[in-house]
Amino acid sequence: MTVAQFPIKGFPDLDELLQRAPSARLASSRLDLVNLAAGGEASKEFEVAYDVPGKGRVVEAHVVRCRNGVAVNYVEPYMRRRDPDCMVIADEGATDKPRFSDRFPGRFEDLRSEVFRWLATQDLLLVPFIAGHDRLGYDALLVSPVNAAFFAAGLADLQGMLTPDQIPEEFSPRAVIYLAPPFRHTHCQGRQLVIHNRSGEVHELFSLNLYPGPSAKKGIYGVLLSVGEQEGWVTCHGSTVQVVTPYDNVITIMHEGASGGGKSEMLEYPHRETDGRLLLGENTVTGDRRYVVLNQACELRPVTDDMAQSHPAIQRDHSKLVVTDAEKGWFLRVNHIDRYGVDPNYERLCLQPPEPLVFLNFHAVADSTCILWEHIEDAPGKRCPNPRVILPRRLVPNIVNDPVGIDVRSFGIRTPPATKDVPSYGIFGLLQVLPPSLAWLWRLVAPRGHANPSIIDTEGMSSEGVGSYWPFATGRIVDQVNLLLHQIRDTPATGYTITPNQHVGAWRVGFMPQWLAREYLARRGGVRFTREQLVPARCPLLGYCLKSMRLEGTTIPRWFLEVHTQPELTESGYDAGAKLLMDFFRKELAPLLEESDLDPLGREIIECCLQGGALSDYERLLGSPVRAATDAFSFPSRRVRAITPVDPDEEIPSL
């Protein structure tokens, strides 16, 4: 199929654009996009540059062809990670997000026309794809300058692509991305900007910058959230993994949370010391270390990395939440890989891939191998905190392609160290068990956490927003708040936990808590505990602590479970941290009570929190994770004196 044969009925502006442009082509294959990204099949280096009025020629990025793919480096360090304030809404539909008219002078329609006029002067590249899972998704299209083919290659890996022979005759885009990089200089003072225009049946995205995070990835996430808002379902912000124990028991965990909350890490095997042990933690005050011996870790079967589509068509009256991957590839951050051997699985996949990959923010030269621990420097001696590799999920070993039912929804948060001298919100135990009502509240406040590497720096404790996906949503907060509540209410067989990363009290732990929690929950078959196995947390917002935790013969010290028992923290330091958490919850939740459309049950749960409710109050509202210690068997009402014996020769009737 050629561009002239491309089915674009009902898109007069796009049709006119393709007729006016000097040339327009459909990518014939993924390899075609990789070659274009490098400047052509024979080219090894390429500059992505544009003539900008008033600035002259501006180089946005350098692309080099490596042995294992193409490495892209942005000239400006600012462009190497997502700006959390890059979204604006251009249409007049319902939204709680900033509108184009709030931030920029002039009319959006005029800017839209300017973008189309500029694109009409460029050689164009079209990439048709499906937003969401192939069987549950929506037709979509990227319109890009050819010289930004690395962006198109990244999108093709993240969202998939339809080659010319795969485009159906009834292809009708529900979403279209228009890529126009020079406009961030001429209209946005050099800042990243993605404009969403939800016009009629089409969701237009105008990406005025070349970093794929806000548009090729999170922009499409916004499209799915917008569709789900209209149809009554959610695309969760979480990684999902089937965990197979050494005894062949299987449990499925979905790990949610803000950027840096450990979603990608949930798909990794525990990082081991040179002697094979696991470093549980290092005390930041005393320097003491504690280790765990785990001879055989569980087998991991990845399902989703970031976007878990919970479409109604796959729920089928299950009492568990059912999800499938909404993406075709994973946008992996590898800032933790700072030397050889940190993550042998990803290192093996990325250093010798079966097909070329797209790397962002790595130091690489032509004909070399792009190395995962060679991160580009933002300044001399300061490594970029956001090196990324786009990994097509078809290359991931043991990948699960079918929908899965979720046994445990865990939530991750980056925590700072907490001591009695310097209290903080880092008072989480290694594993906290939550009732559903508290699990919902945590998804409403979604703390961005300590030292977030994925976005432009923010100070103190801040919220990523409802569901931790709010930065990518285009509609109203209250609609997403209600959708999340209904999802949790309607899936009572799914349990809930929360795990910290980076610190447990005074102990530096990295991502070990979630790795050990995953191993522990898989071996015990889920999160249904008896009351004798749990103790209410000193801070009600943290639900329950485990009374004890034993993993393959190793007992986890109590101070990793009940953090107030740490001598470096004590009860007073813990209580000071609990107050910080409570103040944060009040600040984030109170405005939701002003929403007239808030679900009555949700209003009751939020009011319970603002009034300092006890753990039992939360359980009364939406259930408890605690089960009875034994099944409720009973004796007959009268004494049984004799039972007729069974004749061993008597024939048993057939069923």
Side-chain angles (χ1 to χ4, degrees):
M1 179 183 292
T2 64
V3 170
Q5 300 168 318
F6 189 53
I8 51 172
K9 297 176 182 178
F11 292 84
D13 292 342
L14 178 57
D15 186 43
E16 181 183 355
L17 169 61
L18 298 180
Q19 293 182 29
R20 292 174 55 198
S23 68
R25 60 182 293 177
L26 286 164
S28 60
S29 66
R30 179 180 180 276
L31 184 59
D32 182 30
L33 290 175
V34 171
N35 286 331
L36 287 173
E41 190 171 353
S43 175
K44 296 181 180 180
E45 299 185 34
F46 185 68
E47 275 189 348
V48 182
Y50 300 94
D51 291 324
V52 177
K55 285 181 170 287
R57 186 172 183 270
V58 175
V59 179
E60 291 279 0
H62 297 280
V63 183
V64 298
R65 188 193 297 271
C66 301
R67 294 181 180 180
N68 51 339
V70 290
V72 182
N73 278 304
Y74 299 93
V75 173
E76 295 178 50
Y78 161 76
M79 285 297 299
R80 295 171 186 167
R81 47 182 173 164
R82 174 173 59 89
D83 188 329
D85 299 319
C86 65
M87 173 191 283
V88 295
I89 307 299
D91 59 83
E92 297 302 318
T95 185
D96 290 327
K97 288 297 180 69
R99 296 189 185 272
F100 179 86
S101 57
D102 296 333
R103 288 184 54 181
F104 299 97
R107 301 187 318 141
F108 165 72
E109 290 76 11
D110 296 336
L111 175 62
R112 184 177 183 273
S113 298
E114 285 186 57
V115 170
F116 274 87
R117 284 196 297 271
W118 179 81
L119 285 171
T121 68
Q122 304 294 304
D123 295 312
L124 297 180
L125 177 64
L126 274 63
V127 181
F129 62 97
I130 296 176
H133 190 276
D134 282 345
R135 297 189 182 182
L136 306 171
Y138 308 87
D139 294 343
L141 178 68
L142 167 69
V143 180
S144 164
V146 169
N147 75 336
F150 83 84
F151 183 100
L155 178 137
D157 282 347
L158 288 168
Q159 311 297 345
M161 64 176 291
L162 297 173
T163 57
D165 61 317
Q166 295 174 327
I167 302 172
E169 290 185 5
E170 66 275 12
F171 183 84
S172 179
R174 182 79 174 260
V176 182
I177 301 176
Y178 296 101
L179 183 64
F183 282 74
R184 81 175 178 97
H185 300 288
T186 57
H187 292 70
C188 310
Q189 298 180 325
R191 309 293 293 182
Q192 299 175 29
L193 189 72
V194 177
I195 305 170
H196 289 251
N197 183 37
R198 303 163 296 175
S199 56
E201 296 299 316
V202 182
H203 190 137
E204 294 181 327
L205 296 93
F206 290 84
S207 178
L208 309 187
N209 60 272
L210 278 172
Y211 183 61
S215 50
K217 181 171 174 61
K218 302 305 188 184
I220 295 303
Y221 195 171
V223 171
L224 294 177
L225 290 171
S226 179
V227 173
E229 189 175 301
Q230 301 167 32
E231 299 179 355
W233 55 275
V234 173
T235 297
C236 299
H237 193 204
S239 63
T240 310
V241 62
Q242 284 190 335
V243 188
V244 185
T245 72
Y247 321 109
D248 293 328
N249 296 323
V250 180
I251 186 174
T252 304
I253 300 174
M254 182 167 73
H255 187 73
E256 301 163 83
S259 300
K263 293 185 292 297
S264 292
E265 286 78 8
M266 183 55 81
L267 306 181
E268 298 178 13
Y269 286 91
H271 296 179
R272 294 182 180 270
E273 301 294 290
T274 54
D275 61 4
R277 294 182 297 172
L278 306 181
L279 177 60
L280 174 55
E282 179 180 3
N283 193 299
T284 58
V285 177
T286 66
D288 289 346
R289 290 186 164 203
R290 289 292 184 271
Y291 296 89
V292 173
V293 176
L294 185 68
N295 292 325
Q296 184 177 356
C298 293
E299 176 191 342
L300 303 182
R301 298 174 182 171
V303 184
T304 77
D305 174 69
D306 188 66
M307 293 161 52
Q309 196 169 358
S310 62
H311 196 281
I314 58 175
Q315 302 308 313
R316 299 183 181 180
D317 299 323
H318 282 284
S319 57
K320 294 180 183 178
L321 179 66
V322 180
V323 303
T324 191
D325 203 343
E327 301 179 283
K328 314 302 188 303
W330 297 346
F331 200 42
L332 298 179
R333 186 185 68 249
V334 293
N335 63 306
H336 63 290
I337 301 180
D338 56 3
R339 64 192 184 283
Y340 171 77
V342 170
D343 193 324
N345 296 290
Y346 281 145
E347 290 170 28
R348 180 172 58 253
L349 275 172
C350 297
L351 296 183
Q352 294 181 310
E355 51 190 271
L357 304 179
V358 177
F359 299 86
L360 302 176
N361 305 330
F362 291 89
H363 176 74
V365 296
D367 287 333
S368 70
T369 298
C370 186
I371 305 296
L372 290 189
W373 52 90
E374 292 287 350
H375 311 157
I376 198 71
E377 291 188 340
D378 286 350
K382 182 181 180 182
R383 293 158 66 96
C384 174
N386 194 40
R388 297 274 185 169
V389 57
I390 303 175
L391 184 64
R393 71 189 306 275
R394 65 180 177 276
L395 304 183
V396 179
N398 300 321
I399 196 75
V400 176
N401 294 310
D402 295 325
V404 297
I406 303 301
D407 297 297
V408 180
R409 291 178 71 170
S410 65
F411 194 88
I413 176 173
R414 298 179 71 90
T415 48
T419 65
K420 58 187 175 185
D421 297 324
V422 186
S424 78
Y425 58 90
I427 58 173
F428 298 73
L430 188 147
L431 175 64
Q432 307 278 167
V433 180
L434 301 178
S437 54
L438 277 174
W440 177 65
L441 289 183
W442 275 102
R443 283 158 179 77
L444 300 192
V445 300
R448 191 167 279 160
H450 170 69
N452 191 317
S454 298
I455 60 171
I456 304 301
D457 293 330
T458 56
E459 294 295 329
M461 194 176 188
S462 60
S463 172
E464 189 101 313
V466 171
S468 77
Y469 56 68
W470 178 245
F472 330 126
T474 60
R476 301 191 309 158
I477 289 178
V478 69
D479 294 327
Q480 296 299 330
V481 166
N482 290 337
L483 284 172
L484 282 173
L485 177 62
H486 300 162
Q487 183 186 72
I488 289 175
R489 180 199 62 194
D490 296 342
T491 53
T494 296
Y496 301 90
T497 64
I498 190 165
T499 52
N501 66 69
Q502 306 314 310
H503 297 90
V504 171
W507 291 76
R508 183 182 302 109
V509 294
F511 290 96
M512 197 57 67
Q514 69 184 55
W515 292 329
L516 293 183
R518 180 184 65 197
E519 297 285 332
Y520 176 72
L521 292 174
R523 282 166 168 79
R524 73 177 311 279
V527 293
R528 296 300 178 186
F529 294 89
T530 66
R531 198 163 296 279
E532 290 73 21
Q533 295 170 313
L534 298 174
V535 57
R538 191 174 176 88
C539 172
L541 295 175
L542 300 184
Y544 288 96
C545 303
L546 298 185
K547 279 188 178 179
S548 65
M549 181 176 180
R550 194 174 185 86
L551 190 61
E552 296 292 290
T554 299
T555 298
I556 304 300
R558 182 188 175 199
W559 60 80
F560 282 105
L561 306 175
E562 298 182 72
V563 181
H564 65 272
T565 63
Q566 293 182 12
E568 299 84 6
L569 181 60
T570 71
E571 292 182 356
S572 63
Y574 182 101
D575 292 345
K579 183 180 184 303
L580 292 174
L581 273 181
M582 191 65 237
D583 291 345
F584 175 72
F585 268 67
R586 288 193 173 107
K587 177 174 70 74
E588 296 298 326
L589 295 176
L592 295 177
L593 294 180
E594 300 174 8
E595 300 285 352
S596 60
D597 295 340
L598 180 63
D599 185 284
L601 174 60
R603 184 176 299 277
E604 196 172 356
I605 296 172
I606 292 175
E607 288 174 345
C608 175
C609 178
L610 299 184
Q611 293 166 10
L615 182 54
S616 58
D617 296 323
Y618 292 109
E619 294 180 311
R620 175 181 55 81
L621 292 169
L622 203 56
S624 169
V626 178
R627 61 177 173 84
T630 59
D631 291 327
F633 299 115
S634 61
F635 289 105
S637 58
R638 298 177 61 186
R639 180 180 178 187
V640 177
R641 294 187 175 275
I643 298 177
T644 304
V646 176
D647 184 350
D649 297 323
E650 183 179 353
E651 183 177 351
I652 299 175
S654 171
L655 295 177

